[in-house]
Amino acid sequence: MQRRYISLVAAGVALGTTIALTGCGSTGGPDDVTLRLVAADYGTGAEDSSQKYWDELADRFEAGNPGVAVDVEVHSWKDVDRKVAEMVADGNAPDIAQIGAYADYANEDRLYRVDELVTIPTQANFLPELSEAGQTERVQYGLPFAASTRLLFFNEKLFADAGVGAPADWSQLRAAAERLKARGVKYPFALPLGSEESQAETMIWMLSGGGGYRDRNGGTYDIDSGQNVATFTWLKDNLVTPGLTGPVAPGKLDRAQAFEAFTRGEVGMLSGHPTLMQQAEKKGIRVGMVPMPGADGRARASMGVADWMMAFKQNGHRKEIGRFLDFAYNDTNVLEFSARYDILPVTVSASEAMAADDRHKRLWKFLEELPTSELYPSGETSWAKVSASVKRNIGDAVAPQGDPAAVLKRIADEAARAESETDAE
């Protein structure tokens, strides 16, 4: 098939770059089907843009599926969710979207169920915890596409110069930060609670302190629990107030800024994911990684993140979408994407292959954390509003005049309203 290219400008991927991108499609007979796929960019520049991966995948799929073309648009993580929302609102939904959340579209009955799309072997091969996270009202609409976990990253050279080792609990973490500050490290512990992705940093610390967004049974939101209040009180009193989080107030520090500072050698410690490991090593930073410390030892769980694939009903291409998704989720393609972008695979067979292959050794620590990790409550249609509330408010919890209990209660109240509104719909 003759491929055509669409010129796009995608401003600022998750780490703040600007990329010129291309999309793909085909021309054919009147009975041919063209699937429109909108996807997020996992690359850090034009050289490793996800557009290249999708173009190659589409070419291979089209070669084995005459009459079906795949037209791909790739946008930055900063823009992709908004772009898809605008397309849907304009009555021009893509056939497939690979973005950050699916629940709102499922609630509006815009999506195919997963069991309407892929074969049983494909559906059964997803990691169980990710399949469950892809469900709304016990029906799976979101297909996990990529996963990651978070570890505590530290700059090995800065730690060696300060004469400290990797912390195993909060008291050791504070002690290490104090030694790093005394050595002139700009950000002894980078704490990004700004608007970009503070819902992630918040969850990491909630889990570290024995709490979480929801109660232990996965029921209602429990944002202002005693554990969560104690956690943010500790952060304020032990890291922020003593000046151990650097010159930028946590509520003003975004993840991209913190990651960039780490790759410049200005950060002693921060919570990081696999992509940061790759970026830091390219800049010559020796990276140490350990599980996130808890108050009195290892945190009860790590934070896991999954991104989602979903299929819209609007154009009625259910069978063709299913064929493409079965192809996209075979082990060869899942492992290729995972290796290219230092992302964890979302299927059982690909995870087992990664764990048995020394070429993926750099990802093993992250892979080990995935089975016991906790994910966002992304299957709840209220989660988008709750996440937005966290982004707006959580920085105030550790501000000099902030009151952690009051701020967490404010977020909890907004979460209760969001859940009530969802239940009323």
Side-chain angles (χ1 to χ4, degrees):
M1 292 186 177
Q2 180 183 1
R3 186 171 298 285
R4 63 184 173 84
Y5 291 91
I6 304 169
S7 178
L8 301 171
V9 175
V13 288
L15 298 174
T17 59
T18 301
I19 307 171
L21 301 171
T22 58
C24 53
S26 69
T27 58
D31 296 326
D32 286 356
V33 169
T34 297
L35 300 178
R36 291 178 56 233
L37 166 63
V38 178
D41 198 349
Y42 289 78
T44 59
E47 290 302 311
D48 65 347
S49 168
S50 297
Q51 186 74 52
K52 294 184 177 181
Y53 171 82
W54 288 114
D55 284 350
E56 294 163 5
L57 186 75
D59 281 337
R60 295 196 300 271
F61 174 76
E62 290 173 0
N65 292 272
V68 183
V70 183
D71 182 355
V72 184
E73 292 182 21
V74 171
H75 296 278
S76 75
W77 268 114
K78 186 175 180 179
D79 296 328
V80 68
D81 289 274
R82 175 178 55 81
K83 292 282 189 181
V84 171
E86 290 172 353
M87 292 175 188
V88 172
D90 290 342
N92 189 32
D95 295 286
I96 309 168
Q98 185 269 299
I99 52 178
Y102 65 87
D104 283 350
Y105 299 124
N107 190 52
E108 295 168 355
D109 195 30
R110 296 181 183 274
L111 302 180
Y112 289 114
R113 301 190 314 269
V114 172
D115 63 6
E116 295 178 297
L117 295 167
V118 298
T119 60
I120 291 174
T122 298
Q123 187 175 1
N125 197 26
F126 291 121
L127 291 166
E129 61 272 21
L130 300 182
S131 287
E132 184 177 347
Q135 296 177 9
T136 294
E137 300 294 332
R138 304 194 179 203
V139 178
Q140 187 176 356
Y141 294 94
L143 297 90
F145 177 72
S148 68
T149 53
R150 302 296 171 89
L151 296 172
L152 180 71
F153 281 37
F154 61 94
N155 183 312
E156 290 186 341
K157 181 180 185 303
L158 295 180
F159 266 57
D161 291 345
V164 293
D169 59 31
W170 286 359
S171 63
Q172 292 180 17
L173 189 150
R174 173 178 172 153
E178 289 172 339
R179 294 284 292 273
L180 291 164
K181 183 181 180 182
R183 296 279 303 180
V185 174
K186 189 172 182 179
Y187 295 90
F189 187 97
L191 184 67
L193 295 178
S195 61
E196 180 191 356
E197 205 199 25
S198 53
Q199 81 281 6
E201 189 73 16
T202 297
M203 184 171 177
I204 291 167
W205 278 98
M206 285 178 169
L207 294 173
S208 180
Y213 281 119
R214 303 182 78 84
D215 63 33
R216 292 293 183 88
N217 297 319
T220 60
Y221 288 108
D222 201 20
I223 292 168
D224 59 344
S225 68
Q227 296 101 320
N228 292 341
V229 171
T231 294
F232 280 86
T233 300
W234 187 91
L235 280 172
K236 178 186 175 184
D237 294 345
N238 290 272
L239 293 185
V240 181
T241 299
L244 301 179
T245 53
V248 180
K252 302 294 184 183
L253 183 67
D254 283 339
R255 184 193 68 169
Q257 294 172 272
F259 280 15
E260 288 166 2
F262 188 81
T263 66
R264 294 194 300 266
E266 298 174 352
V267 174
M269 297 173 278
L270 84 174
S271 300
H273 56 51
T275 304
L276 176 60
M277 172 184 62
Q278 180 187 63
Q279 293 163 349
E281 290 174 350
K282 284 181 179 179
K283 295 291 184 70
I285 304 298
R286 299 200 314 271
V287 182
M289 295 175 291
V290 293
M292 184 68 184
D296 299 308
R298 181 171 174 170
R300 72 172 179 88
S302 62
M303 191 191 81
V305 176
D307 303 323
W308 302 100
M309 189 83 79
M310 64 211 68
F312 286 86
K313 296 179 179 180
Q314 180 176 322
N315 300 317
H317 296 150
R318 180 180 64 82
K319 291 182 180 179
E320 293 83 3
I321 293 170
R323 283 159 60 189
F324 176 76
L325 292 175
D326 279 325
F327 178 77
Y329 280 104
N330 71 42
D331 281 356
T332 298
N333 293 327
V334 170
L335 285 168
E336 180 183 345
F337 186 87
S338 298
R340 189 177 295 199
Y341 297 108
D342 279 337
I343 292 292
L344 302 182
V346 297
T347 63
V348 173
S349 55
S351 296
E352 290 173 347
M354 177 176 280
D357 190 339
D358 283 345
R359 290 177 299 176
H360 301 296
K361 191 173 183 178
R362 59 193 282 119
L363 292 174
W364 285 355
K365 284 188 177 181
F366 297 95
L367 195 62
E368 289 168 4
E369 295 292 306
L370 190 57
T372 58
S373 65
E374 290 192 16
L375 283 76
Y376 298 134
S378 52
E380 301 293 335
T381 54
S382 58
W383 170 241
K385 292 180 180 179
V386 175
S387 176
S389 178
V390 172
K391 291 178 182 181
R392 286 194 307 271
N393 293 299
I394 197 62
D396 294 341
V398 297
Q401 306 304 318
D403 181 343
V407 172
L408 290 172
K409 185 177 187 306
R410 185 193 316 159
I411 299 171
D413 289 345
E414 292 188 14
R417 286 195 295 273
E419 200 160 35
S420 177
E421 290 168 2
T422 299
D423 291 341
E425 290 176 356

